Every structure is written in structure tokens, then in C-alpha cells.
Amino acid sequence: MSSQASRGPSHSGVLHEYAPKLVAFEFTPPTDSINKTNSLIFVGGLTDGFCTVPYVAKLAKVLENTEWSVFSVLLSSSYAGWGVGSLDRDVEEIGQCVRFIRDLKASRQPGALTKAGKIAIMGHSTGSQDVLHYLYSPNPVPHKEFDFGLQHMVRPELDGAIMQAPASDREGLQAIIDSSPQPDELRKVYDQLVDFSKDQPYTAEKNDTILPLNLTAKLSYPPDTPLSARRFLSLVSPQSPENPSEDDLFSSDLSDKRLQETFGKVGTQGIVKSNLLVLYSGEDEYCPHWVDKEKLLQRWQQATEAGGAKWDAENSGVIPGASHNVHGEGQQDLIDRVLRYLQTL
């Protein structure tokens, strides 16, 4: 294969090590004086990493002439790490990145002119679960039996928070099974994996049990990505909607009580100072056809506001024609909504 076969665009910027073995890329044009005060931290979804979500670089380009710079963050769960990750670990690492960027921006300001820069986080897909988990869960996250070395650090406050494409992993998998040419066979595979995960969530040495890749691949998970029994049960949440897992935050059949425990806790925790912006893709291929996106957003808004937090009703909504990662239609609409939101912070 030619080495020039699939060359993508180049991006100017600075790579920061915000924690040991963890980095964030700051989009900065060559002529930039890197004196931008405010920061937008982008968090991708399952399998995402640098430059895997097409609108991020374009958003950074649009923000070049503003006080906002865009950081794309790598977490332990980025690329192929999601299968053995957790929302608890994600939000702790995001908190480390927020602290690093806040200190970085303060160090760039002349002493007499130092002013606190604003920081917002924007999650795409499962990155949206990270955003909501950051905002509503106990701070710091509580100790669990198998938390694999989490430091349980207090997460810093945010000036803004955005969730884009907050689709349900559980309902997305249901749609894949239902639309398959052999749905009965896939349901058997699903049941087999659930039973195995419940029976052997951890090894005798208290490590994660990894599920058979030949079976997880049948459910459309990447065939080369290790998936732990623990994370699988969290993503597919077999006891939902009565007893949803940690990852099951956005399913359409969750009760109002459950929404009060998640969206409704955003105001109680008080981690975000401004409105919550939520953007659902109108043609999200991971959202089943039976989900009423407008109604779902209304329920989330009601739960958020009932808990005392604010919802950006002007800019939140369903983006017409947009795919899950907004690679074509709807991209300008998305960027315009984000720009308007950032201007309000």
C-alpha cells in the first residue's frame, strides 16, 4: 500500500502531559501568541482519540479569533482502553486535566493582569456519560471494592458543560440485535455473555475477567478490543430500567426517579456554574428509531431544572440531519450552537 494512501490533515498545536502517561492536545495556530484565557476540553466516546471526531478541529479553527482554545484529551479509556475503563476513572482523569489547564493558563498571564480563565468540558457519545458523571456523582467518587488504584481526588468546578450525542449504549445494542438478519442467535450470544459476566466478573486474583473476543465481536464490538465483564455489564445494564448500571444514563425508558438521581443531582453537586448544553443528533445511527429525542430532552431538562441546575433551552436540542459524530450535515449548526453557548459563560 502506498504511504500516501490515506493522509489526513495536519494540525498545529501543543501536546501537554497533564498527568503521568496522559496527554492533551491544544489546538493552536502557528501565529497564536497562546494567550487565550478560556479553555474547552473535548472528551470523545468509545474508541475515540485524537482527530477521530471530525468537527473538533473545525470547532478549534472557528475559535481561533476568540479567547477560547480547544484541548482534545486522551484518557486511559481512549482508543482501545474503554473496554477495561470506567466512568469513575474517566472523571478523575478529566479532573486532573482541568487542574493542569487552569494552572497552565494562569502561568501564561502577566502577574498584574492575571484573571481566572473559564473552563468548559464537551463530551461526545460516551464522553457525554463522562460529563454527566462528572457533574452528578459524589465528589470525590466513592471507594468501591475493585476500583483499581483510583486516587479519589476532588474534581474541580467547571464554568460550562456540553453533552453531544448522548445516546444509550443499551438501547443501541438492542437496535443492533433487533435489526440483525439473525436476531435470535445474537440474543443467545448476549445472554451467554451476561451470564458469564455475572458468574465471573473478576479472576481469583481480583483482576477483571476479559470476555471471549469472538463472542463480543458478534455484538459489533471491535474484534481486537478487550472487554471486561465489569464494563460489559455496565454498558448493557441487563437489570434496566428497574436497576440501571453506572453507564446507563441516557436510555429512554429510565424512570423519572432515576433521572432525579442523575440529571437532578447536577444542581445539588454545584460543580458546574452555568447552564447545561445538550445536543442530540437528529439522524444518530446509534439511537433506535423508537426513541422520541425531543421528548427525551424535555424529560432531562425537567429533571435538571427540578434539581436546581440551569439548562440552556435556547441552544440545546436535536440537530436536524446530524449523524452520531456529525461528520456531514448539521456540523455548522452544531458549531454555531456551541459558539453561542460559550459566549454566555
Side-chain angles (χ1 to χ4, degrees), residues 14 35 60 64-65 67 70 118 140 176 208 225 243 291 305 326 343:
V14 181
N35 281 328
E64 280 183 4
N65 295 321
E67 288 195 342
V70 175
K118 299 186 184 303
I176 289 173
D208 268 327
T225 300
N243 186 25
V291 174
E305 294 177 340
V326 202
Q343 289 168 358

Side-chain angles (χ1 to χ4, degrees), residues 40-46 48 53 55-56 59 70-73 75 90 94 120-135 158 160-167 250 276-281 284 324-326 334 338 341:
L40 177 64
I41 302 174
F42 178 80
V43 184
L46 301 189
D48 281 324
V53 180
Y55 64 76
V56 179
L59 179 59
V70 175
F71 291 77
S72 181
V73 63
L75 308 174
D90 285 356
I94 293 169
I121 59 174
M122 178 176 184
H124 159 71
S125 192
T126 305
S128 295
Q129 286 156 231
D130 286 333
V131 170
L132 185 55
H133 197 74
Y134 192 105
L135 299 182
L158 301 167
I162 305 169
M163 297 192 294
Q164 187 268 316
F250 303 131
L276 185 62
L277 176 65
V278 182
L279 303 169
Y280 215 118
S281 295
D284 194 320
H324 185 65
N325 66 1
V326 202
L334 166 71
V338 173
Y341 173 75

Side-chain angles (χ1 to χ4, degrees), residues 72-300:
S72 181
V73 63
L74 282 191
L75 308 174
S76 299
S77 60
S78 298
Y79 295 121
W82 60 270
V84 292
S86 71
L87 298 186
D88 282 352
R89 180 176 295 280
D90 285 356
V91 300
E92 187 160 288
E93 292 177 358
I94 293 169
Q96 289 178 290
C97 190
V98 171
R99 278 189 292 271
F100 172 87
I101 291 174
R102 186 159 283 150
D103 291 343
L104 173 72
K105 290 298 181 78
S107 72
R108 290 175 176 174
Q109 301 297 315
L113 300 176
T114 298
K115 64 175 182 177
K118 299 186 184 303
I119 296 184
I121 59 174
M122 178 176 184
H124 159 71
S125 192
T126 305
S128 295
Q129 286 156 231
D130 286 333
V131 170
L132 185 55
H133 197 74
Y134 192 105
L135 299 182
Y136 93 85
S137 60
N139 191 16
V141 293
H143 288 265
K144 296 177 181 176
E145 185 178 3
F146 302 107
D147 57 16
F148 303 107
L150 285 181
Q151 299 177 50
H152 303 278
M153 301 169 69
V154 175
R155 303 186 298 282
E157 286 186 348
L158 301 167
D159 297 281
I162 305 169
M163 297 192 294
Q164 187 268 316
S168 161
D169 289 282
R170 172 168 64 89
E171 291 183 333
L173 181 57
Q174 289 176 7
I176 289 173
I177 293 174
D178 292 343
S179 61
S180 165
Q182 299 173 307
D184 291 339
E185 179 183 337
L186 287 193
R187 287 191 188 95
K188 289 179 182 178
V189 172
Y190 169 85
D191 291 339
Q192 184 178 352
L193 286 170
V194 168
D195 290 343
F196 180 86
S197 298
K198 289 180 176 179
D199 289 342
Q200 301 180 46
Y202 301 100
T203 66
E205 293 78 23
K206 306 301 182 184
N207 296 317
D208 268 327
T209 297
I210 302 301
L211 301 176
L213 296 183
N214 64 312
L215 293 182
T216 57
K218 290 183 179 181
L219 296 183
S220 297
Y221 291 113
D224 58 349
T225 300
L227 178 56
S228 71
R230 168 187 53 80
R231 190 68 196 270
F232 175 73
L233 289 177
S234 188
L235 290 169
V236 305
S237 194
Q239 293 180 287
S240 287
E242 291 80 12
N243 186 25
S245 69
E246 182 176 88
D247 270 281
D248 193 8
L249 295 172
F250 303 131
S251 296
S252 61
D253 59 359
L254 295 177
S255 67
D256 291 340
K257 180 177 181 295
R258 172 59 174 168
L259 297 185
Q260 291 167 8
E261 296 168 350
T262 56
F263 284 90
K265 286 287 181 65
V266 173
T268 306
Q269 292 294 349
I271 292 179
V272 64
K273 300 177 184 178
S274 185
N275 300 347
L276 185 62
L277 176 65
V278 182
L279 303 169
Y280 215 118
S281 295
E283 300 298 326
D284 194 320
E285 60 271 30
Y286 295 103
C287 178
H289 63 85
W290 68 78
V291 174
D292 186 333
K293 303 180 184 72
E294 296 283 3
K295 181 179 178 182
L296 192 56
L297 286 175
Q298 290 173 4
R299 294 185 64 213
W300 294 349

Side-chain angles (χ1 to χ4, degrees), residues 30-43:
T31 57
D32 197 343
S33 61
I34 63 172
N35 281 328
K36 292 172 173 287
T37 309
N38 304 328
S39 309
L40 177 64
I41 302 174
F42 178 80
V43 184

Side-chain angles (χ1 to χ4, degrees), residues 289-337:
H289 63 85
W290 68 78
V291 174
D292 186 333
K293 303 180 184 72
E294 296 283 3
K295 181 179 178 182
L296 192 56
L297 286 175
Q298 290 173 4
R299 294 185 64 213
W300 294 349
Q301 178 179 354
Q302 290 169 358
T304 301
E305 294 177 340
K310 294 179 286 186
W311 180 279
D312 187 343
E314 180 180 350
N315 296 305
S316 294
V318 177
I319 300 178
S323 64
H324 185 65
N325 66 1
V326 202
H327 56 73
E329 187 176 351
Q331 200 170 87
Q332 190 58 51
D333 188 1
L334 166 71
I335 290 173
D336 289 344
R337 290 171 189 252

